[in-house]
Amino acid sequence: MPNAKDLRSANRPDRERSPQIDEDVTGKELDRATQHQIKTLEDNSADWVARHLVMAGRLIDDEPELAFQHALAASRRGGRLAAVREAVGLTAYAAGHYGEALREFRTYRRISGSNMHLPVMADCERGLGRPDRALEMARSEEAKDLDAPGKVELAIVAAGARSDLEQLDAAVSELEIAQLDINRAFSYSPRLFRAYADALTAVGREAEAAKWQRQAVVAENALGMGVDEEPDIIDLGWDEEEEAREEQRRRRILQEQADRQSAAVAQEEAPRAASAEAAAGLPETAGHSAARDLETGSDDEEPDFFESNDAESDEDSVEADELEPGQAQDEESAEPVHTED
């Protein structure tokens, strides 16, 4: 008999039949931490729960509703495990069952003590038509303890809640966080850059939006999205001081080229002037003597500025971005220049 106090979908009479499990699924595909939780169950229940969780993870992207059914099946025997309640929450969210997802995430937080799904919970509030509650979550004390990716996700949700309330300028401000760095690419950067570009477009700042959209593509290329091993941080461009140093080097190159051309012209003209003086029986002037001295001391070797400066440290070659977050920068585009391990 269903327990009337148990509000989970898994407890409804129409959920008694569980979806089919693929023949190749063993349950051993789960990560080690989840397997450790499942070992606390009886053997028959452990196998059941593990295989349904694998199916939920396998189907969540392509068939979220079916994935939700598998997670519910797992929760009928493993509902006291944090990993199971997390799976129900994630699949419910993917399938658009926001009330169910919010309830499961709250239970997961109570069992595990983790606030890692706070951004998804806030987005569930948006899905339920309650953007004000989503903003309250974004301002909560728990939000301060999120890691950088979590803070980015919560900022994106908060910006969406502002848009729901037609507070478009405030939506832009929600995304102007420390992680919004146009010169660095983290795993979350492409998504953050695009969200910021969309917010800028909504307030009519198309030129700035286009720059951030381009930089999102640069970040994806730099990170090698789809490659198994991704770098943690990548520099996407130079800052103003680096540009100034590069301009100074360019001007020095041009000046040295001009000096070499002048020396070459003087070297060609000096023999002709000496022959003319000898034919006229005149002594060489002091100025011509100086010209010869200049020729003698001319240097045909490549100047030092062609030497590689690869020995510069990361701190020397890349300065910290001192612009205020979200402030437009002068770079029209930036290319990856350095990877920090």
Side-chain angles (χ1 to χ4, degrees), residues 238-304:
W238 293 330
D239 58 22
E240 293 179 355
E241 292 187 11
E242 177 63 25
E243 287 188 7
R245 288 195 293 269
E246 180 63 20
E247 178 64 18
Q248 186 177 8
R249 285 193 292 268
R250 187 184 68 83
R251 290 179 179 177
R252 187 169 59 178
I253 290 172
L254 293 176
Q255 183 61 47
E256 291 289 341
Q257 289 175 343
D259 291 344
R260 287 201 301 273
Q261 290 175 354
S262 298
V265 171
Q267 188 175 8
E268 291 177 359
E269 292 180 350
R272 289 198 298 268
S275 298
E277 289 172 348
L282 297 175
E284 296 181 356
T285 64
H288 293 138
S289 177
R292 281 202 309 276
D293 292 340
L294 178 63
E295 294 172 33
T296 303
S298 65
D299 186 5
D300 292 333
E301 296 181 358
E302 294 291 338
D304 291 340

Side-chain angles (χ1 to χ4, degrees), residues 147-166:
D147 57 11
K151 289 178 179 177
V152 168
E153 289 300 319
L154 191 56
I156 293 173
V157 172
R162 293 291 189 185
S163 297
D164 295 341
L165 296 169
E166 299 184 357

Side-chain angles (χ1 to χ4, degrees), residues 140-175:
S140 66
E141 287 297 319
E142 292 84 356
K144 298 178 182 178
D145 297 329
L146 294 173
D147 57 11
K151 289 178 179 177
V152 168
E153 289 300 319
L154 191 56
I156 293 173
V157 172
R162 293 291 189 185
S163 297
D164 295 341
L165 296 169
E166 299 184 357
Q167 300 172 359
L168 301 183
D169 289 319
V172 174
S173 299
E174 292 286 354
L175 294 166

Side-chain angles (χ1 to χ4, degrees), residues 192-207:
L192 177 59
F193 291 173
R194 287 196 172 93
Y196 190 54
D198 291 342
L200 291 171
T201 300
V203 295
R205 294 161 62 178
E206 287 84 0

Side-chain angles (χ1 to χ4, degrees), residues 109 114-116 118-119 134-152 154-155 177 179:
R109 181 172 61 180
S114 171
N115 289 306
M116 64 178 294
L118 189 66
L135 291 172
E136 288 177 7
M137 286 189 176
R139 301 290 177 267
S140 66
E141 287 297 319
E142 292 84 356
K144 298 178 182 178
D145 297 329
L146 294 173
D147 57 11
K151 289 178 179 177
V152 168
L154 191 56
I177 57 179
Q179 290 75 23

